[in-house]
Amino acid sequence: MFALRSLSSYLFGHTSKDNIAELPSGQLYLVRPDSIKGYSELLFKDAAAYVRRTGQDFQYQLVIQRAYEEGEAELLEEEGGEDGAASGVGDRDEKVFLLDEELHFRVQAEQREDSVLAWRDLSGDEGDLFEFVCDPSTRAAAARNFGRVAAQCQYERKYRRSNLQATDEDLSEFAFDHEPAIPEASPVSSPVGRSPAISPSPPITRSLNDLREPSDYDMACESKSTATPQKAAAPTPTKAPASRSAPKSSEILVNEEAELHMFDFNSGTFVLQERDVQAIVMEVGSWKYWLQISGDTQQWLGQEVVPDINPVFNFEYLSFIFNHYTEDGSAYSWLLKFKDRETEERFQEALMQALWEHSNEAKWHKAVKDKDRDYVLDAFNDLVLQDRDDEREAQAAAEDEESEDEFEDAHGGQKEEEYDEDEDEDEVDLGRDEDGNVNSQLAVGAKGDRSFVVRGDKIGVFKHTADNQLQFNTSINKISTPGGKLFAPKKIMLRAGDRDMVLQRDGDPNNLYRMDLEYGKVVDEWKVHDDIPVRIFAPENKFAQTTDEQTFLGLSSNALFRIDPRLAGNKLVDSEMKQYTGKNDFSAAATTKQGYIAVASNKGDIRMFDRLGINAKTALPTLGDPIIGIDTSADGRWVLATTRTYLLLIDALQHNGKNEGKLGFEKSFGKDSKPLPRRLGLTPSHVAQFQHETKQPLSFTSARFNTGEGKEETTIISATGPFVVTWSMKKVLEGRRDPYSIKRYSEDVKADNFKFGSDKNIVVALPNEVDMVARRALQRPTRESIMAPPATPNRSKARGSYLSRDEVVNSPY
């Protein structure tokens, strides 16, 4: 036992390799004991099994990697052959599974038989299993060691702590000895007259801790598994967490009766918990509010009313769906069903009042005009539902929409790089700088087919190839002011046909710097103003980056102005400045093709200008959440704002009244005709699943439309944690359910944007990698696509999207 634990300590604590356990040779089968699809299918004739680290703490993967005989890969490539039964995540060469207890991962390792690894096919039918049958040369002890490492990984994932303190009893939780015997894998159909669920004289699946003597616990589990070999264990329903006690209330805003349901992660449905509960929203002091739900026999939940609850109201189904967070960061999704519309409207008004007052620290009825309240309330409604016929039509439309991409490679033409087994073991994670810097910002070129990634005081330059790959081109090292002070750019913006880049230095808000990208050096320092700092800068118009336009916009916390680098002395154009006396706390700006300007603030409001130096033509009220990013469509029709937990899509075209046909940038909306906001978020159940997997709250990156001269905006992109998310504009405007797709990476996404002029390819900056991925590679959110991050791409090859330490630090420009 001591020797085995020492081995595990070595694997987890003293190696920098991604693969921490390995079985080098075997065959991968998909076994369907009870399916009409066929009993067994050989997926990989020759493969290796690995336990692999991910970029997330306490998250590990089971990876089955295919090996080819000489010439086989080229033959398959010519034939276009693909492996069948593609479950898990990965392509035809690799299948990746998140090491979670729901896999029920087991090891059958007997001295005189081939060792077998088995785990559930979570996307298949009940009883379906993946089986990795080890090569006969594999020692049983090696298979058991592999199983123990897998158990330690599952322990870390479940309990969010190191396995070093885990006892054998702790790890026995992940042995799954109660499961039926592993059915025999065979590349042919099951013999006639034989039950496919049970192999002849089924061997007992031993505990992962087989090196010790069997305990009473083992005997009990073995007895249970042999007594009921045909019945698989039913998934355990999601259990409601313990409720928190409500603080002392100073005022009750609403108390309504409702029916309570909770989202079950295993079945993917809302399950009734109690038919009659009291849903109470109360004020508890200092702009804090509390939601308490109580039944006849128990307190179900209590939590603060904060934006993270992700509220969605649906008046057709009289429902309210929201997220609930426990003190350890776990997320659950709940549904309240009200008896009638009037009850739900009273509850909605009170909850939105609590949210708004919490965010703005002002009284709802005093600060928000009657005509603006509907704007706020409507943003949180789930406005459109479809019947089954509509959904079938929508599905057909989606298939038509994607048919044009039929021959496009799902990864932008980028091929998976092979793992280099001869890689020097002394190379410690080439992607991480010794000073701890990671990729932080991304600028995508419009003229030169280049993407620029900031990493500390360096900028990596990547070429967009003809087959939609990213190829490392060069690096700009030791960025410094003209006076020689090194700095890490805080903000960047491409200009002048992608020949220049504007940089801002942290702690130096009154100055900007111009880098000549052809020379690879900062050549100018611009003093904008002695007293007015630059918080934000943005292009003169949507496509100014593609021209030789010299001027651009600047914003402080309460002023908008033009910056002209050609001016002598200070670069701020005094005649084109609009300064507000109040504290507006501006946070983001964007421009249209015509040069119209959209400005957002940390207060959550949005202003629309047709030019600098005047009052806004339109001011939209705040929903209460700070806006961290803003974008516009080229024609000014659409404004896209980003908050931490949702996006807001606003139609700036006026559809009635005296200014019908005009944009909100050109003429003010009538007092009773504010545009109807569309709140783009993830469904509460998906939010709960995201946070159930990552233990992180939502935190969207600044969302953007795809863009290009003469191109229509069809898609929106953002990211949260390790997930890239795209929304289809067509599906959003049709009111379709779940109009978004996702791709999960193994590390958090730092920045993302579309390739200029295309909505098909996305550039993604991870902490230590840069990737170009085809939008078609994103999937509809499902339990499986949310759970399983893909394998981290290999980083030892020179070509590709990875920005290695040597390439960044040592390469001359």
Side-chain angles (χ1 to χ4, degrees):
M1 194 69 254
F2 174 80
L4 190 58
R5 183 168 296 282
S6 297
L7 173 64
S8 298
S9 176
Y10 168 75
L11 289 174
F12 280 88
H14 301 290
T15 180
S16 63
K17 292 296 183 181
D18 288 336
N19 296 329
I20 58 177
E22 175 184 359
L23 292 173
S25 182
Q27 295 180 319
L28 178 66
Y29 294 87
L30 176 59
V31 181
R32 307 183 184 97
D34 304 309
S35 175
I36 61 173
K37 300 175 185 176
Y39 171 65
S40 179
E41 182 177 355
L42 176 62
L43 301 182
F44 294 166
K45 184 172 65 173
D46 190 6
Y50 304 96
V51 174
R52 181 178 292 173
R53 283 188 178 90
T54 72
Q56 299 288 330
D57 290 341
F58 310 119
Q59 307 277 358
Y60 301 90
Q61 299 166 336
L62 170 65
V63 180
I64 310 298
Q65 197 171 67
R66 178 176 186 167
Y68 288 103
E69 295 179 0
E70 185 175 355
E72 183 183 4
E74 290 77 6
L75 180 62
L76 284 176
E77 196 70 42
E78 292 174 4
E79 296 177 351
E82 294 186 1
D83 295 305
S87 296
V89 176
D91 55 22
R92 70 185 187 190
D93 298 330
E94 189 173 79
K95 296 195 179 297
V96 182
F97 307 85
L98 186 66
L99 267 173
D100 182 85
E101 62 180 323
E102 292 193 60
L103 288 180
H104 284 211
F105 181 85
R106 295 174 284 153
V107 176
Q108 175 181 293
E110 303 295 332
Q111 293 296 337
R112 297 181 181 178
E113 298 182 18
D114 293 345
S115 298
V116 179
L117 317 180
W119 61 98
R120 287 178 171 181
D121 177 8
L122 297 179
S123 61
D125 297 329
E126 185 175 350
D128 289 2
L129 293 172
F130 286 100
E131 293 186 22
F132 181 84
V133 181
C134 298
D135 186 86
S137 63
T138 302
R139 292 182 296 111
R144 287 195 291 268
N145 290 351
F146 189 95
R148 181 180 178 87
V149 172
Q152 291 170 326
C153 292
Q154 294 170 76
Y155 175 88
E156 289 198 2
R157 172 172 166 76
K158 181 172 183 178
Y159 295 107
R160 310 290 295 175
R161 60 174 180 259
S162 170
N163 73 86
L164 295 179
Q165 305 303 318
T167 65
D168 290 344
E169 184 177 356
D170 293 332
L171 295 180
S172 66
E173 176 184 358
F174 306 100
F176 303 107
D177 294 330
H178 59 278
E179 286 285 299
I182 298 174
E184 182 180 351
S186 169
V188 297
S189 300
S190 54
V192 177
R194 170 184 149 192
S195 170
I198 310 175
S199 59
S201 303
I204 301 299
T205 303
R206 306 289 294 183
S207 166
L208 292 170
N209 303 315
D210 258 348
L211 297 188
R212 56 174 169 78
E213 290 297 316
S215 66
D216 293 339
Y217 171 81
D218 295 326
M219 298 298 184
C221 290
E222 288 175 3
S223 174
K224 181 177 179 180
S225 69
T226 53
T228 57
Q230 303 249 12
K231 189 178 292 185
T236 304
T238 303
K239 184 179 179 181
S243 176
R244 296 164 61 190
S245 300
K248 185 178 180 181
S249 170
S250 59
E251 180 185 356
I252 291 180
L253 275 63
V254 71
N255 184 348
E256 300 292 352
E257 293 183 356
E259 191 175 273
L260 181 66
H261 303 249
M262 187 177 75
F263 184 77
D264 176 46
F265 291 108
N266 294 306
S267 66
T269 60
F270 282 93
V271 177
L272 178 65
Q273 304 297 308
E274 189 166 339
R275 293 194 178 277
D276 190 7
V277 297
Q278 299 297 122
I280 305 170
V281 177
M282 62 186 78
E283 184 176 359
V284 294
S286 301
W287 305 110
K288 292 184 179 179
Y289 299 84
W290 191 268
L291 172 63
Q292 191 75 26
I293 298 180
S294 307
D296 292 337
T297 60
Q298 73 176 88
Q299 298 286 329
W300 282 101
L301 68 91
Q303 75 167 26
E304 276 193 67
V305 177
V306 293
D308 281 321
I309 68 173
N310 200 41
V312 175
F313 291 88
N314 185 285
F315 284 91
E316 182 172 349
Y317 283 92
L318 302 176
S319 66
F320 165 54
I321 303 176
F322 65 100
N323 290 118
H324 166 221
Y325 302 91
T326 58
E327 292 179 338
D328 67 355
S330 298
Y332 298 83
S333 190
W334 296 82
L335 182 148
L336 288 172
K337 190 173 189 301
F338 299 96
K339 61 182 179 181
D340 53 43
R341 184 183 181 92
E342 291 73 21
T343 303
E344 183 170 10
E345 285 179 345
R346 289 194 301 269
F347 185 85
Q348 182 199 37
E349 173 86 14
L351 185 85
M352 295 312 300
Q353 174 186 338
L355 265 177
W356 194 95
E357 292 185 4
H358 168 75
S359 298
N360 292 274
E361 296 191 358
K363 285 296 182 182
W364 167 262
H365 291 288
K366 291 182 179 179
V368 183
K369 299 175 183 178
D370 291 343
K371 60 185 176 64
D372 289 338
R373 287 179 195 151
D374 287 341
Y375 175 90
V376 176
L377 296 175
D378 287 343
F380 290 88
N381 288 344
D382 187 7
L383 294 174
V384 181
L385 284 175
Q386 297 168 312
D387 59 29
R388 293 179 181 178
D389 290 336
D390 290 336
E391 291 198 355
R392 278 196 292 268
E393 292 175 9
Q395 179 64 30
E399 292 171 358
D400 291 341
E401 181 180 308
E402 293 175 2
S403 63
E404 64 187 75
D405 298 330
E406 185 176 356
F407 300 103
E408 186 175 346
D409 186 272
H411 289 281
Q414 192 164 349
K415 295 181 180 179
E416 187 73 21
E417 296 172 333
E418 297 176 359
Y419 181 76
D420 184 0
E421 294 184 356
D422 297 326
E423 186 179 359
D424 186 355
E425 293 186 5
D426 293 332
E427 290 182 2
V428 181
D429 200 350
L430 289 177
R432 289 164 175 80
D433 288 354
E434 292 176 358
D435 56 10
N437 289 323
V438 296
N439 298 332
S440 60
Q441 297 174 71
L442 169 69
V444 177
K447 294 286 285 185
D449 267 346
R450 296 289 189 275
S451 285
F452 303 84
V453 179
V454 175
R455 185 189 187 89
D457 61 1
K458 301 171 283 291
I459 295 177
V461 184
F462 294 86
K463 179 182 178 181
H464 303 173
T465 66
D467 55 352
N468 290 321
Q469 295 185 41
L470 283 179
Q471 182 177 358
F472 176 75
N473 184 253
T474 190
S475 62
I476 304 171
N477 302 322
K478 297 183 178 180
I479 299 169
S480 62
T481 68
K485 293 182 179 179
L486 290 175
F487 72 95
K490 176 184 176 183
K491 292 185 177 70
I492 61 174
M493 182 181 74
L494 290 168
R495 66 189 288 271
D498 292 346
R499 297 187 302 275
D500 288 354
M501 180 181 286
V502 180
L503 312 174
Q504 188 172 41
R505 184 163 67 106
D506 199 15
D508 187 14
N510 298 84
N511 293 304
L512 298 174
Y513 299 88
R514 178 176 77 91
M515 173 178 282
D516 185 327
L517 291 172
E518 295 174 346
Y519 184 46
K521 187 176 181 180
V522 172
V523 294
D524 285 323
E525 180 175 351
W526 298 327
K527 169 74 77 171
V528 177
H529 197 277
D530 294 329
D531 302 317
I532 300 175
V534 179
R535 175 182 278 193
I536 305 147
F537 48 89
E540 168 73 16
N541 59 67
K542 186 81 171 178
F543 303 119
Q545 174 186 348
T546 66
T547 71
D548 290 327
E549 175 62 50
Q550 293 297 305
T551 67
F552 55 97
L553 305 184
L555 288 84
S556 67
S557 62
N558 65 338
L560 290 76
F561 44 85
R562 187 178 309 283
I563 298 172
D564 189 345
R566 298 167 297 184
L567 294 177
N570 290 347
K571 309 304 181 183
L572 187 148
V573 181
D574 292 325
S575 62
E576 294 187 87
M577 181 174 72
K578 171 63 181 175
Q579 189 158 13
Y580 291 83
T581 56
K583 185 179 179 182
N584 291 283
D585 203 9
F586 293 140
S587 59
T591 52
T592 70
K593 184 178 180 179
Q594 302 97 316
Y596 298 156
I597 307 161
V599 177
S601 79
N602 282 319
K603 293 183 176 180
D605 51 18
I606 297 172
R607 290 176 171 84
M608 301 182 191
F609 302 82
D610 64 347
R611 62 188 184 277
L612 284 172
I614 63 169
N615 289 329
K617 293 293 195 232
T618 296
L620 299 178
T622 174
L623 300 186
D625 298 304
I627 294 175
I628 62 173
I630 196 165
D631 196 12
T632 63
S633 60
D635 62 4
R637 168 74 185 271
W638 300 101
V639 176
L640 177 67
T642 310
T643 75
R644 186 172 62 82
T645 57
Y646 61 88
L647 317 182
L648 200 62
L649 181 65
I650 299 161
D651 186 353
L653 183 67
Q654 302 189 48
H655 296 275
N656 50 53
K658 64 178 183 179
N659 294 325
E660 183 178 353
K662 295 290 185 180
L663 297 171
F665 293 98
E666 302 168 305
K667 295 290 183 179
S668 299
F669 282 90
K671 63 179 182 179
D672 297 321
S673 60
K674 286 285 192 296
L676 184 65
R678 289 176 170 85
R679 179 177 175 272
L680 308 186
L682 308 178
T683 65
S685 56
H686 287 160
V687 172
Q689 285 186 322
F690 273 41
Q691 297 190 202
H692 181 69
E693 291 299 318
T694 65
K695 304 301 181 186
Q696 300 176 25
L698 289 183
S699 185
F700 282 116
T701 58
S702 184
R704 294 180 174 89
F705 295 109
N706 65 289
T707 189
E709 294 188 83
K711 301 288 185 179
E712 182 182 358
E713 292 81 4
T714 59
T715 314
I716 295 165
I717 187 172
S718 184
T720 175
F723 298 96
V724 171
V725 188
T726 62
W727 284 262
S728 163
M729 283 283 286
K730 178 180 179 181
K731 293 179 182 179
V732 168
L733 299 181
E734 289 177 351
R736 302 255 287 274
R737 310 286 294 175
D738 301 345
Y740 52 88
S741 300
I742 68 167
K743 177 177 175 63
R744 180 171 180 176
Y745 284 89
S746 59
E747 296 182 292
D748 287 351
V749 176
K750 294 296 185 180
D752 52 89
N753 204 347
F754 289 101
K755 179 181 176 182
F756 187 85
S758 172
D759 65 348
K760 302 294 189 296
N761 297 98
I762 299 165
V763 182
V764 179
L766 304 173
N768 300 288
E769 297 166 39
V770 187
D771 188 25
M772 183 179 284
V773 61
R775 180 166 57 89
R776 289 182 63 242
L778 277 68
Q779 305 174 23
R780 188 172 61 86
T782 63
R783 185 167 166 275
E784 288 74 24
S785 62
I786 291 172
M787 276 182 60
T792 302
N794 174 263
R795 296 172 292 196
S796 63
K797 302 295 182 184
R799 190 176 191 275
S801 61
Y802 177 70
L803 182 60
S804 77
R805 183 181 63 192
D806 289 340
E807 290 166 334
V808 175
V809 179
N810 298 324
S811 294
Y813 186 79

